[in-house]
Amino acid sequence: MDYTIVLQALWIIIPAYVANASAVLVGGGIPIDFGRNWHDGKRMLGDGKTWRGLISGTFIGMTAGFGLVVAASYINSSEYHFLDLTNFEGFPLMIPIIFSICFGALLGDIIESFFKRRIGKNRGDDWVPFDQIDFILGVLFFSFIMSSILHISGFISYNWFIKHLFPWHIVVLLLVTPFVHLTANFVHKKIHGNAKK
Ligand code: CTP
Ligand code: MG
């Protein structure tokens, strides 16, 4: 495995990282479950999953993704084209593809919270490794579905996911992400002085 695999994997996941981080930074307000409980008497999702986090996280992550599309057009016409970084199919197909990456990341996190509540863990409790990889699983699942829809409906002649995400990329993401996550948490706590968690 060579380093270009690592760069390609990180490139694709940047919009998801941004979406996730933005949800934390700008999230808050009305919870997605509107404060309702599930049949087991515990919260459906909890106060940590909010509409503002979901919507603004998706938008901010997508903006970062569009930045990568522009960057890819420069990189791919430079001496670094061998890195083979995706441009997410450019305009306009980048919109559904990058949407599926950002929304998928936040949806993965939401689904994780659902199961976390079912096993009795409270908001903010640790649940290793799912806290770390929940959004990667969401990205992989949701962007695969979106790529398949775009392929089957004839918008793209191949499956974007299968073309750009090999098993090695997925292994890299699952291994690297927990470290990025733990580092981000550490920085967050330093800045906010352990106030929140
Ligand atoms: N956040 C949000 N909306 C989302 C996702 C995250 O508002 N859709 C914000 C919340 O303020 C949340 C913080 O980001 O507390 C951190 O997210 P995360 O660590 O995933 O949530 P936890 O508070 O740990 O809650 P849970 O136990 O449900 O994961
Ligand atoms: Mg979580």
Side-chain angles (χ1 to χ4, degrees):
M1 191 181 77
D2 70 285
Y3 74 98
T4 58
I5 299 279
V6 178
L7 288 182
Q8 289 159 1
L10 292 177
W11 183 262
I12 288 174
I13 216 67
I14 286 173
Y17 281 161
V18 173
N20 226 24
S22 312
V24 179
L25 292 175
V26 298
I30 302 168
I32 294 173
D33 63 9
F34 295 107
R36 280 179 306 211
N37 288 343
W38 189 246
H39 308 296
D40 54 12
K42 299 187 184 101
R43 280 290 292 277
M44 248 162 105
L45 302 172
D47 286 333
K49 302 295 111 123
T50 66
W51 287 104
R52 194 163 78 216
L54 175 62
I55 295 165
S56 53
T58 302
F59 270 97
I60 299 170
M62 286 180 74
T63 308
F66 298 155
L68 295 182
V69 174
V70 176
S73 73
Y74 285 104
I75 294 170
N76 292 336
S77 56
S78 78
E79 57 193 300
Y80 295 106
H81 61 89
F82 67 90
L83 293 175
D84 206 13
L85 300 173
T86 179
N87 70 346
F88 302 93
E89 300 302 315
F91 184 82
L93 290 169
M94 65 185 195
I95 297 171
I97 292 176
I98 296 174
F99 169 79
S100 72
I101 292 172
C102 298
F103 193 72
L106 295 166
L107 202 63
D109 183 43
I110 290 168
I111 293 170
E112 188 239 358
S113 288
F114 176 80
F115 288 111
K116 216 169 152 182
R117 298 298 90 83
R118 301 291 73 72
I119 63 163
K121 286 191 182 286
N122 292 319
R123 171 188 180 187
D125 287 354
D126 288 330
W127 192 23
V128 182
F130 300 106
D131 285 320
Q132 286 74 34
I133 60 165
D134 53 5
F135 75 103
I136 298 291
L137 300 179
V139 171
L140 295 175
F141 181 75
F142 212 61
S143 66
F144 176 71
I145 300 284
M146 183 61 84
S147 301
S148 302
I149 292 171
L150 293 173
H151 180 205
I152 291 165
S153 57
F155 284 108
I156 314 180
S157 59
Y158 48 84
N159 187 309
W160 176 85
F161 184 98
I162 291 173
K163 185 172 173 210
H164 290 284
L165 281 157
F166 300 160
W168 272 123
H169 292 113
I170 295 173
V171 170
V172 167
L173 290 177
L174 292 176
L175 290 179
V176 169
T177 298
F179 291 101
V180 176
H181 195 268
L182 293 172
T183 312
N185 269 0
F186 180 76
V187 172
H188 190 257
K189 281 180 184 169
K190 280 275 169 214
I191 295 172
H192 293 265
N194 283 329
K196 215 162 117 208
K197 283 193 184 170

